Amino acid sequence: NAGVTQTPKFRVLKTGQSMTLLCAQDMNHEYMYWYRQDPGMGLRLIHYSVGEGTTAKGEVPDGYNVSRLKKQNFLLGLESAAPSQTSVYFCASSLRAAYADNEQFFGPGTRLTVL
Amino acid sequence: QQQVKQSPQSLIVQKGGIPIINCAYENTAFDYFPWYQQFPGKGPALLIAIRPDVSEKKEGRFTISFNKSAKQFSLHIMDSQPGDSATYFCAASIAGGTSYGKLTFGQGTILTVHP
């Protein structure tokens, strides 16, 4: 199993450009999450999905959109990138939210720089 | 609004020392408290987790101590090794229900273990 994979690994954008980050998991997990990691701020939840076709806002959703058309994929879009969106983005998935299954498995991250 | 506060921001110990990382939370509804370990260039990975019905959990050299009345929990690493050098995140969530396992992370602690 590959676990959680993210594409691309690195990206540099100019202000105003758009892009899509792809997350894929092969563990048949129901829940998927997008986080951003910034120094001194830990990981903050952007959006999440509790199943195919569903999405919901997290703590810092502004400037981002998501889609989950297939259970194994969760896409994060930036329509008009801003320098404040320079960050490392992590995707995670979990089987479900019950205690024993609450472990979130993280991808390797995408480092995004917006100039 | 930071619901989970983590300290210290960085920590340096000698091999064999016992680093301690502390976290405090505000939301009394939290009922699942995991610790994640992150190596440079990698995504976080679950290290150990605890529920509030126990005061301590030990897995190998890693121990979580939990104080429900004080709303605090901490990670102790016994006999620390250079390979333990990483960033450690505490987190909290409300397992099950409509919280969907969303994790609230602390700010992170960069641990360096010198040989």
Side-chain angles (χ1 to χ4, degrees), chain B residues 5-28:
Chain B
K5 295 185 178 180
Q6 183 172 346
S7 63
Q9 205 168 4
S10 62
L11 190 54
I12 300 173
V13 300
Q14 293 296 124
K15 177 182 175 181
I18 305 176
I20 301 172
I21 304 170
N22 300 299
C23 285
Y25 63 97
E26 299 169 4
N27 189 347
T28 56

Side-chain angles (χ1 to χ4, degrees), chain B residues 14-58:
Chain B
Q14 293 296 124
K15 177 182 175 181
I18 305 176
I20 301 172
I21 304 170
N22 300 299
C23 285
Y25 63 97
E26 299 169 4
N27 189 347
T28 56
F30 287 145
D31 59 0
Y32 176 72
F33 302 89
W35 285 88
Y36 280 79
Q37 180 187 54
Q38 182 183 31
F39 293 106
K42 305 292 185 182
L46 180 65
L47 183 63
I48 185 172
I50 196 168
R51 296 186 227 168
D53 53 349
V54 297
S55 60
E56 186 176 281
K57 183 174 181 180
K58 184 176 181 179

